[in-house]
């Protein structure tokens, strides 16, 4: 890995961050006259903890990683954007990403005026390590990996990821939004071995909290401090902090829901294979299935006409005539199966 100072934009390295009232005060107090808040209690009249210390302490326990290695964002999209703003000089530097993958990596690159180099996966959706590494040059700051990947649903081979981590001297981001649906371990346990590694996770999927908008970035303490320098002071509001904290207390319920989703994933995959219009159901380590059908556009429109919405991935590289189908409840999945399996003439 290049020295961290070499990877970080010079203006960010030298940045003196905004210091809010709650950053400056440490300890216990009963009278707060520092932040120009309305003093009359509403439950939310005070600004939230800018570092989310209580919530991070809970996350630390369930993830087995120190709170100082955690940054919380407004969904995973915030830390994705922050990676560009911290490490990539607009108009000069670039990133390398596997393709197809989560679209926000490319959108954030465009927003930040960063060249985005797309490297196609192999035909079996595995990582083309040589092509990824060959695409990098002296101006490449970041490599984006998504595992399990969206929209293909598969995990990247662990040895392939090790190769990227060991051979690329910039920042490697592994997005694990769907890791709770996989039998393979997270990369969190590897953070102490790879100072260039950032792992992203979220409360939106397995935790059933998409509406709360809370993502997690895990990295070295140095990288987390850079995130904290650049993020907006009160990026996670009090309502979100409170509701995520309450949800963590119901971890058994979350695990039960994941188990049900996995059972439905297996059942749905087998039922879809019986449908005449289905050509392939790809293996999945996520809470969705990538399904190749005879005519994705026609099938998608027919499903919409029946009030059932899936994601049409027909125009995505390597996903021709594919639909991405989220695993729903048993009743929702049965509705989908009934519609698809009656469409013999599509």
């Amino acid at each position: 890995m290049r020295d961290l100072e070499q990877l970080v934009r010079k203006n960010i390295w030298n940045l003196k961050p905004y210091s809010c009232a709650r950053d400056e005060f440490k300890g216990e107090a009963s009278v707060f006259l520092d932040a120009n808040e309305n003093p009359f209690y509403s439950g939310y009249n005070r600004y939230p903890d800018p570092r989310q210390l209580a919530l991070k302490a809970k996350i630390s326990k369930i993830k087995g990683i120190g709170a100082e290695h955690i940054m919380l964002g407004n969904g995973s999209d915030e830390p994705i954007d922050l990676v560009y703003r911290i490490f990539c000089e607009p108009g000069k530097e670039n990133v390398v990403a596997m393709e197809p993958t989560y679209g926000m990596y490319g959108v954030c690159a465009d927003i930040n005026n960063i060249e985005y180099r797309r490297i196609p996966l192999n035909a079996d959706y595995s990582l083309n390590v040589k092509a990824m590494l060959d695409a990098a040059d002296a101006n490449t700051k970041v490599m984006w990996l998504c595992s399990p990947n969206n929209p293909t649903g598969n995990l990247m081979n662990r040895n392939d990821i090790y190769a990227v981590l060991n051979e690329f001297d910039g920042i490697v981001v592994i997005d694990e939004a769907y890791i709770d649906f996989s039998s393979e371990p997270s990369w969190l346990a590897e953070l102490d071995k790879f100072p260039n590694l950032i792992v992203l996770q979220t409360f939106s999927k397995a935790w059933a909290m998409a509406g709360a908008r809370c993502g997690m970035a895990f990295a070295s303490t140095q990288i987390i401090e850079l995130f904290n320098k650049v993020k907006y002071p009160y990026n996670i509001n009090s309502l979100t902090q409170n509701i995520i904290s309450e949800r963590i207390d119901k971890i058994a319920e979350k695990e039960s829901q994941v188990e049900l989703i996995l059972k439905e994933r297996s059942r749905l995959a087998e039922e879809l294979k019986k449908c005449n219009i289905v050509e392939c159901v790809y293996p999945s380590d996520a809470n969705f299935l990538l399904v190749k059908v005879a005519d994705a556009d026609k099938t998608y429109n027919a499903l919409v006409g029946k009030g059932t919405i899936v994601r049409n991935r027909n125009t995505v590289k390597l996903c021709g005539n594919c639909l991405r189908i989220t695993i729903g409840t048993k009743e929702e999945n049965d509705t989908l199966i009934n519609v698809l399996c009656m469409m013999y003439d599509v």
Side-chain angles (χ1 to χ4, degrees):
M1 177 183 172
R2 279 171 275 179
D3 184 76
L4 188 61
E5 187 173 354
Q6 291 179 297
L7 291 171
V8 176
R9 289 170 55 185
K10 189 170 292 186
N11 68 303
I12 299 299
W13 188 263
N14 295 325
L15 176 69
K16 183 178 180 181
Y18 174 77
S19 179
C20 64
R22 297 300 183 260
D23 278 328
E24 295 173 354
F25 171 75
K26 299 292 186 294
E28 297 293 328
S30 58
V31 177
F32 291 96
L33 304 175
D34 57 335
N36 301 336
E37 301 151 322
N38 185 322
F40 298 103
Y41 180 76
S42 70
Y44 296 98
N45 59 309
R46 299 296 182 186
Y47 284 107
D49 177 3
R51 296 297 181 101
Q52 308 97 30
L53 296 179
L55 181 54
K56 285 179 181 176
K58 278 192 170 184
I59 294 171
S60 174
K61 289 181 180 179
I62 64 171
K63 297 295 183 181
I65 190 166
E68 67 276 13
H69 293 280
I70 304 170
M71 177 264 177
L72 300 182
N74 187 338
S76 293
D77 294 337
E78 183 180 11
I80 289 169
D81 181 62
L82 288 178
V83 166
Y84 286 103
R85 292 201 275 149
I86 291 168
F87 296 105
C88 302
E89 195 68 49
K92 295 181 180 179
E93 295 173 333
N94 68 77
V95 302
V96 174
M98 50 196 266
E99 180 77 7
T101 194
Y102 181 44
M104 279 304 294
Y105 312 143
V107 171
C108 284
D110 290 341
I111 291 170
N112 288 281
N113 192 25
I114 305 299
E115 181 188 355
Y116 187 79
R117 299 181 176 181
R118 304 170 188 268
I119 306 303
L121 295 171
N122 296 316
D124 63 354
Y125 296 148
S126 62
L127 197 64
N128 189 335
V129 176
K130 184 178 185 304
M132 294 277 291
L133 295 172
D134 287 348
D137 59 26
N139 290 320
T140 304
K141 289 295 191 70
V142 179
M143 284 199 179
W144 293 99
L145 305 176
C146 188
S147 183
N149 188 33
N150 176 12
T152 59
N154 61 306
L155 281 163
M156 297 300 109
N157 180 277
R158 205 163 183 89
N159 287 331
D160 288 344
I161 294 180
Y162 275 126
V164 173
L165 285 165
N166 283 311
E167 297 185 40
F168 178 57
D169 63 357
I171 298 297
V172 178
V173 183
I174 303 177
D175 189 341
E176 292 187 334
Y178 302 96
I179 194 65
D180 294 277
F181 304 103
S182 171
S183 59
E184 293 296 312
S186 165
W187 283 88
L188 289 181
E190 306 279 0
L191 280 175
D192 60 339
K193 301 176 187 175
F194 298 101
N196 60 333
L197 174 61
I198 298 173
V199 177
L200 303 181
Q201 293 186 6
T202 182
F203 284 97
S204 294
K205 311 300 181 183
W207 289 92
M209 299 300 290
R213 307 309 301 130
C214 189
M216 297 166 278
F218 303 88
S220 69
T221 55
Q222 284 183 297
I223 291 177
I224 294 300
E225 280 307 308
L226 289 165
F227 275 122
N228 288 333
K229 282 176 71 173
V230 179
K231 77 173 184 68
Y232 290 118
Y234 303 110
N235 62 323
I236 307 296
N237 66 69
S238 296
L239 287 84
T240 292
Q241 292 188 44
N242 290 343
I243 199 168
I244 294 294
S245 180
E246 292 170 7
R247 181 61 174 159
I248 290 174
D249 291 336
K250 300 176 182 177
I251 191 169
E253 180 179 279
K254 172 256 188 182
E255 296 296 340
S256 176
Q257 290 176 352
V258 168
E259 185 178 347
L260 289 172
I261 289 170
L262 294 179
K263 287 180 180 178
E264 278 298 295
R265 186 180 73 187
S266 297
R267 185 181 75 90
L268 181 59
E270 292 307 309
E271 292 298 321
L272 288 172
K273 291 174 185 177
K274 300 174 185 177
C275 297
N276 288 358
I277 64 168
V278 172
E279 297 182 2
C280 181
V281 179
Y282 292 95
S284 177
D285 289 283
N287 68 330
F288 60 84
L289 294 169
L290 187 68
V291 181
K292 187 172 184 179
V293 296
D295 186 328
D297 293 341
K298 199 171 181 180
T299 305
Y300 173 79
N301 290 329
L303 285 167
V304 170
K306 297 289 186 179
T308 298
I309 311 301
V310 297
R311 196 79 190 272
N312 188 354
R313 302 284 77 189
N314 185 38
T315 61
V316 173
K317 193 175 186 68
L318 300 179
C319 295
N321 277 327
C322 285
L323 303 176
R324 194 193 70 190
I325 301 173
T326 304
I327 310 302
T329 64
K330 183 180 185 303
E331 294 73 21
E332 290 171 331
N333 297 333
D334 286 342
T335 298
L336 173 80
I337 293 165
N338 291 335
V339 174
L340 281 180
C341 290
M342 290 189 294
M343 297 169 61
Y344 300 126
D345 59 344
V346 173

